[in-house]
Amino acid sequence: MKFMKYAVLFYTSVGIEPYTSDSRPKKVSLWSNLLFWANVINLSVIVFGEVLYLGVAYSDGKFIDAVTVMSYIGFVIVGMSKMFFIWWKKTDLSNLVKELEHIYPTGTAEVEVYRLDSYLRSCSRISITYALLYSVLIWTFNLFSIMQFLVYEKWLKIRVVGQTLPYLMYLPWNVQNNWTYYVLLFCQNFAGHTSASGQISTDLLLCALATQVVMHFDYLAKVVERQELNEDWNENSRFLVKTVQYHQRILRLMDVLNDIFGIPLLLNFMVSTFVICFVGFQMTVGVPPDIMIKLSLFLFSSLSQVYLICHYGQLIADASSSISISAYKQNWHNADIRYRRALVFFIARPQRTTYLKATVFMNVTRSTMTDLLQVSYKFFALLRTMYIK
């Protein structure tokens, strides 16, 4: 399915087959399994070293280093949780994709009526932009220490940088001028790629699935609004039955979508609240200009991720609510009295807005981002107070 190609690409890079379907049969690959477990084990080892460093930095009173490594740990938690839940929910996701394939528009006429090309272009444009943004972020972090060494020490010769690693982690030995530095450099870059790919792939998958749900909601709203009614109860009732069945099918898809992504989204919002706070705090403690650029990119990427999810949540809410408005715009005054009475019940269901949900605790819309930023600022103010004291 064209909507999912970018998500599948990033899943493949970490050895995950996110789903199987009629158009994508199951593939058993030893290489994919090895790649997946290599990613998981390497990332786990790196984040364990970061957790140890956090404990050491806190006990030594290195407050800024502790905050810095907590932002790295938060980034990893989001990436690992998203990969894990997609791997765990593969069967449900496969069933969801199969159902979407069954109602996917086929033939020139259906493609035009559904405006498939418009939704596909929008999804592809957003997917490419988001994937490039996050790729630039992670490789800026991965290669930053190397670029500092080459530019400041080797080229400009203005300061000694030494062999530093991209991410802070506890090491019981000195890696300077040691072959283990290159091994750790590769492992940290590998871990950074894994964590970023876990986030990019899952976010793009959500983007693709949400776009298709919105497409079906919009199509249903357009069909309902444009239906020409008359006094033939049998004809009108058949139309209403088909409309209700189609609407229920979309609602079932949303239930499955929320079941798959509910917990990862909740974790994403919770951790992102702290990551945004930690990165913002680092930017206010007087860091050099080059570090400020790196942190600005991290902050912008984290905000973009939250906004992307909230944006699609808002699109789903708006599209689901529009069906009741479209039904009211019908020429129902020409229909049989029985149809008018039945239409009241049909209008009532879309008025209960369908939401993208981060479990039962949160309905995701654009206002969710406002709430998240308010909470993040409160923690930021608390951190500043602790740091000053």
Side-chain angles (χ1 to χ4, degrees), residues 6-244:
Y6 298 109
V8 171
L9 175 65
F10 280 95
Y11 276 123
T12 303
S13 71
V14 292
I16 295 178
E17 184 184 47
Y19 64 87
T20 57
S21 64
D22 297 335
S23 61
R24 184 182 173 82
K26 183 177 181 180
K27 297 178 182 178
V28 180
S29 172
L30 178 61
W31 165 249
S32 295
N33 289 331
L34 289 175
L35 179 61
F36 172 72
W37 288 110
N39 275 284
V40 171
I41 293 171
N42 179 68
L43 186 58
S44 300
V45 171
I46 296 299
V47 78
F48 179 70
E50 291 177 343
V51 171
L52 291 179
Y53 184 90
L54 173 62
V56 172
Y58 184 78
S59 62
D60 291 345
K62 298 179 180 179
F63 189 74
I64 296 178
D65 285 352
V67 171
T68 301
V69 80
M70 279 194 289
S71 64
Y72 298 157
I73 294 171
F75 188 83
V76 172
I77 289 173
V78 173
M80 288 189 73
S81 65
K82 289 185 172 181
M83 286 195 303
F84 170 76
F85 277 98
I86 292 300
W87 175 73
W88 180 36
K89 295 284 188 177
K90 180 178 179 180
T91 302
D92 294 335
L93 181 57
S94 298
N95 293 334
L96 174 62
V97 173
K98 288 176 183 177
E99 183 67 17
L100 283 170
E101 286 185 343
H102 290 161
I103 60 176
Y104 194 79
T106 56
T108 305
E110 281 195 359
V111 167
E112 291 180 358
V113 172
Y114 275 85
R115 298 174 52 239
L116 177 64
D117 291 340
S118 174
Y119 289 101
L120 188 57
R121 282 196 302 272
S122 174
C123 183
S124 298
R125 183 172 61 251
I126 292 173
S127 297
I128 292 172
T129 304
Y130 180 74
L132 285 176
L133 173 64
Y134 248 76
S135 297
V136 170
L137 164 70
I138 196 61
W139 286 107
T140 297
F141 269 78
N142 283 350
L143 302 178
F144 192 77
S145 60
I146 297 176
M147 293 305 299
Q148 279 188 314
F149 176 75
L150 293 177
V151 172
Y152 291 132
E153 184 168 333
K154 295 299 183 180
W155 180 30
L156 299 178
K157 302 182 185 301
I158 58 176
R159 75 180 192 216
V160 176
V161 176
Q163 294 178 321
T164 57
L165 293 169
Y167 307 102
L168 300 172
M169 64 179 293
Y170 174 76
L171 295 170
W173 71 92
N174 186 7
V175 297
Q176 292 288 332
N177 301 317
N178 192 313
W179 64 270
T180 56
Y181 166 78
Y182 301 100
V183 176
L184 287 169
L185 180 65
F186 172 78
C187 290
Q188 287 199 354
N189 285 340
F190 191 29
H193 163 75
T194 303
S195 184
S197 294
Q199 297 190 48
I200 295 170
S201 54
T202 306
D203 293 338
L204 296 188
L205 180 62
L206 177 61
C207 168
L209 295 173
T211 300
Q212 292 181 75
V213 170
V214 170
M215 178 181 70
H216 288 291
F217 272 134
D218 288 346
Y219 168 75
L220 181 59
K222 184 166 59 176
V223 168
V224 169
E225 182 176 347
R226 294 180 179 180
Q227 178 66 18
E228 291 295 330
L229 301 173
N230 51 50
E231 294 186 357
D232 186 345
W233 161 245
N234 291 328
E235 180 183 343
N236 292 342
S237 62
R238 283 195 296 270
F239 166 76
L240 191 58
V241 167
K242 289 181 180 178
T243 301
V244 170

Side-chain angles (χ1 to χ4, degrees), residues 295-346:
L295 292 176
S296 299
L297 182 59
F298 195 178
L299 180 62
F300 182 71
S301 300
S302 298
L303 291 172
S304 299
Q305 180 188 57
V306 174
Y307 180 76
L308 177 74
I309 297 169
C310 294
H311 172 68
Y312 275 97
Q314 186 69 54
L315 291 181
I316 290 173
D318 292 344
S320 69
S321 299
S322 68
I323 296 175
S324 61
I325 300 173
S326 298
Y328 185 75
K329 289 180 179 180
Q330 274 186 337
N331 61 331
W332 47 264
H333 45 83
N334 294 333
D336 183 273
I337 186 64
R338 289 171 290 183
Y339 179 86
R340 297 183 211 175
R341 290 171 178 169
L343 188 64
V344 171
F345 293 100
F346 174 73

